Amino acid sequence: MSEAVLATHSLQKRFGGIVATQNVSLALMRGERRALIGPNGAGKTTLVNLLTGMLAPSSGTIALEGDALTPLPPHRLPRRGVVRTFQITQLFDTLTPLETISLVIAERERAGSRLWRPLTRATTYRDEAAQLLTTLHLGDVLRERAAILPYGKRRLLEIAIALAARPRVLLLDEPLAGVPASESREILDTLAALPPDVTVLLIEHDMDIVFRFASRISVLVNGALLVEGAPDEIARDPQVRAVYLGEARNG
């Protein structure tokens, strides 16, 4: 991993007099498994919103393999290879997983103008969708409406939507948030089996998940990067321990 795929330089975001992101310079390497952690209110989701064009930075730059992303609107980023999931699932509840992923594949292949045709009849899209869904433990609910899926399955479907876009960079914003423990295993297995060439940035509060998943961890506090390092370095870091112990005492 020697090439930065997604990088920021001196990234800042202000909301009036509040500085939510402070001079964040971050480099994600090709195929890296990076976790972004920090106490509540640290600015983690704000940073992801900046990286995906949901928010415009007040200053600083964002680049994908050296090309500027900063002026691009969010709907253009998936075609450039930057895809995200959200803390709260955002699905087409009236569609089945098979229909949903077929639509994503059609859009990826620039067949979106045929959006309202019965795309599941298109063998290529349907077969690719079914294969991806089966890999992600959704093969048993291919034709169930998303609205009636268990919450863990809805989370998996959102990850499937992201992977169907064939991302170069995948940003996962708390993919296990709200998922019952009985349904979390399939999501953990899915995270472990993500394609090795995809760069992944994971936001997650569960430290057990973070340390199992990440090869490198960035710690964000008050909108600024406090420290970065390998999981064992972060576990031993006195600044990180002080931040989390302080939060526990104040909780």
Side-chain angles (χ1 to χ4, degrees):
M1 296 190 304
S2 59
E3 181 182 353
V5 177
L6 186 67
T8 71
H9 179 69
S10 300
L11 198 63
Q12 290 204 40
K13 180 62 182 179
R14 302 181 188 89
F15 297 99
I18 298 174
V19 181
T21 305
Q22 301 187 52
N23 293 316
V24 172
S25 294
L26 185 73
L28 302 180
M29 301 304 182
R30 186 176 305 281
E32 185 176 3
R33 300 305 192 242
R34 178 78 65 94
L36 180 66
I37 67 172
N40 290 330
K44 301 183 295 294
T45 295
T46 297
L47 179 56
V48 171
N49 286 338
L50 290 168
L51 294 174
T52 54
M54 303 294 290
L55 291 172
S58 302
S59 61
T61 61
I62 306 168
L64 178 68
E65 295 183 334
D67 296 327
L69 290 182
T70 310
L72 291 180
H75 68 273
R76 296 273 302 278
L77 290 177
R79 290 203 182 278
R80 298 288 299 274
V82 180
V83 180
R84 74 172 294 180
T85 66
F86 292 84
Q87 286 186 20
I88 300 173
T89 54
Q90 302 189 20
L91 301 173
F92 300 106
D93 279 345
T94 60
L95 298 183
T96 68
L98 186 61
E99 291 167 338
T100 298
I101 301 305
S102 295
L103 288 171
V104 175
I105 294 169
E107 179 62 25
R108 186 195 73 207
E109 299 300 321
R110 302 183 184 273
S113 62
R114 300 192 291 276
L115 185 66
W116 301 116
R117 296 183 185 181
L119 284 176
T120 51
R121 294 181 186 171
T123 302
T124 301
Y125 300 156
R126 181 196 62 208
D127 289 351
E128 182 181 340
Q131 181 178 6
L132 175 61
L133 289 164
T134 300
T135 300
L136 270 63
H137 309 283
L138 291 164
D140 57 336
V141 294
L142 289 180
R143 293 177 172 81
E144 301 285 345
R145 287 190 305 113
I148 66 173
L149 296 180
Y151 194 65
K153 295 288 189 182
R154 290 173 63 84
R155 282 290 189 182
L156 284 169
L157 180 54
E158 190 172 30
I159 295 173
I161 290 170
L163 291 177
R166 290 184 181 168
R168 286 185 279 173
V169 179
L170 177 58
L171 309 175
L172 299 172
D173 195 351
E174 298 190 36
L176 283 100
V179 177
S182 60
E183 299 177 27
S184 64
R185 169 52 56 189
E186 290 179 342
I187 297 178
L188 292 171
D189 290 345
T190 296
L191 295 181
L194 288 171
D197 58 332
V198 176
T199 300
V200 183
L201 177 65
L202 171 73
I203 297 177
E204 181 54 59
H205 284 291
D206 188 319
M207 291 298 101
D208 287 338
I209 295 170
V210 166
F211 282 98
R212 287 165 57 186
F213 175 82
S215 57
R216 189 169 176 84
I217 299 172
S218 300
V219 183
L220 199 67
V221 177
N222 295 325
L225 282 177
L226 177 69
V227 65
E228 294 182 310
D232 59 338
E233 296 171 335
I234 296 301
R236 296 193 306 265
D237 191 280
Q239 296 179 92
V240 176
R241 294 173 65 86
V243 166
Y244 279 95
L245 288 173
E247 184 184 44
R249 291 193 187 104
N250 294 329

